[in-house]
Amino acid sequence: MWRNHYQKKATGTGRAWIELDMVRLLHNVGILRSILPGTCQLMPAVKANAYGHGAAVISRELNRLGVSAFCVASAVEGVELRKKKIKGEILVLGYTDPEQFHLLRRYRLMQTVIDYGYAKKLNALGKRITVHIKVDTGMRRLGEPAESVENILKILKCENLVIAGIYSHFSAQDSGDPVDCAITQSQIDGFNNVLSRIREEGFDIPKAHIQNSYGVFARPDLTFDYARVGIALYGAYQSSRGEAGALLPVLSLKARVSAVKAVRAGETVGYGRAFAAGRDMKIAVLSIGYADGIPRAFSCGVGRVLINGKPAPIVGCVCMDQTTVDVTDIDGVMQGDVAVFIGRDGGAEISIMDFAEAAGTIPNEVLSRLGGRLERCVI
Ligand SMILES: *Cc1c(COP(=O)(O)O)cnc(C)c1O
């Protein structure tokens, strides 16, 4: 049945675009669900425009796949999802200023209680707000420290707060390193200790959660209520150990060739005369730039694209809206052709990992910086 929905094949019609392969999203959802116990629901992280993929289009698809809980970084991100008719629970992971508390109620968002002081501010609104309590078990970012159970109990006693859940966050990455594994275990122990103290005091919190993508693959044995998966869902998880190796990237990034130009030996290309042709060359101008998320650090041969299945290195500086590549050795490149920054072209591929590595960063940063100006197409 679901196939019908994917029949429509689309590609970018504009200057630069993202292609989203929803069959791959379905595949990744299936892998994550198969790893997690049946009682644990996915609560996908669709913050930062769903890691650049497009929050509305991804969340809508996830709704269709039966996902009914999401997390975002800010209240405004949650509002955007509601305006796009996304159903289910939406948890705001980050700080919301008291000036925006009204949005939480109006758009049925759940707010993270960052610490006891913040709980008092939420409570002071004098109207019921649904929240999840954040417990800091070692990340040392947001959350009431696991050691201060007394404060957590005080949060539970705030009369205007509807406590729908409680959660923590792992600080380790998927290294397999025994020290990291021990830290993760100590975070789980700290969280479980808080949960049992709360239960002893007679409180019953409906949902508890601690796993991100790393947590799902490193600790599939855990039996919490939600897994807050982001990067794994998008198939850009940087570990190929075990089942993580079966995840597939959802996103491709492509741009149009806007011009093909002959450059003579000795001429320069682009701003700052950063590139001087050592020979007669053929340059393709691509209609994408750093405003779209192509790192400026890709200038002068650091980054490359695929055109007609062949690699074309970037020449000169990446500009705000345009990028120039060397196509001297690629036959038949024409205005209107497609250049692939992330994804497959013929038998060749530039993976999100390759792209991030060339940029000296991680896939999460590259993806979340993909610009709002890019078209998002479902293929
Ligand atoms: C972003 C985020 C996640 C998702 O992390 P991934 O590593 O992408 O799975 C989960 N929990 C919190 C608190 C986050 O900020």
Side-chain angles (χ1 to χ4, degrees), residues 45 47 51 71 93 134 141 167-169 211-214 228-232 364:
K47 60 194 184 185
Y51 294 41
C71 46
L93 299 169
K134 178 88 179 266
R141 214 170 53 176
Y167 73 100
S168 191
H169 191 48
Q211 290 148 293
N212 54 355
S213 296
Y214 155 75
R228 302 184 309 270
V229 288
I231 200 71
N364 310 46

Side-chain angles (χ1 to χ4, degrees), residues 133 149-159 161-163 165-166 194-207:
I133 300 172
V149 176
E150 292 311 313
N151 274 352
I152 295 170
L153 293 172
K154 282 192 232 165
I155 296 170
L156 285 160
K157 289 172 189 151
C158 289
E159 67 276 12
L161 302 187
V162 180
I163 317 283
I166 182 163
V194 169
L195 296 182
S196 55
R197 288 286 307 279
I198 287 171
R199 240 175 270 122
E200 279 163 24
E201 295 290 329
F203 293 101
D204 182 29
I205 303 185
K207 308 283 186 189

Side-chain angles (χ1 to χ4, degrees), residues 175-198:
S175 64
D177 181 289
V179 176
D180 284 342
C181 296
I183 297 275
T184 296
Q185 185 58 48
S186 78
Q187 289 192 258
I188 297 165
D189 293 343
F191 189 53
N192 278 330
N193 179 54
V194 169
L195 296 182
S196 55
R197 288 286 307 279
I198 287 171

Side-chain angles (χ1 to χ4, degrees), residues 12-91:
T13 52
R15 58 183 282 280
W17 64 93
I18 283 167
E19 287 173 8
L20 300 169
D21 187 333
M22 294 306 192
V23 176
R24 288 176 162 217
L25 184 71
L26 171 74
H27 169 89
N28 295 344
V29 164
I31 287 178
L32 293 164
R33 281 179 174 158
S34 75
I35 294 169
L36 293 163
T39 50
C40 184
Q41 305 278 311
L42 296 182
M43 182 189 258
V46 292
K47 60 194 184 185
N49 205 16
Y51 294 41
H53 290 61
V57 67
I58 290 287
S59 303
R60 197 174 299 128
E61 192 59 34
L62 289 169
N63 262 174
R64 200 171 277 127
L65 299 176
V67 169
S68 59
F70 299 91
C71 46
V72 293
S74 72
V76 170
E77 286 183 336
V79 170
E80 289 304 313
L81 292 185
R82 287 289 185 235
K83 285 185 175 166
K84 295 281 165 47
K85 306 273 185 278
I86 301 306
K87 297 190 178 63
E89 298 180 349
I90 300 178
L91 173 62

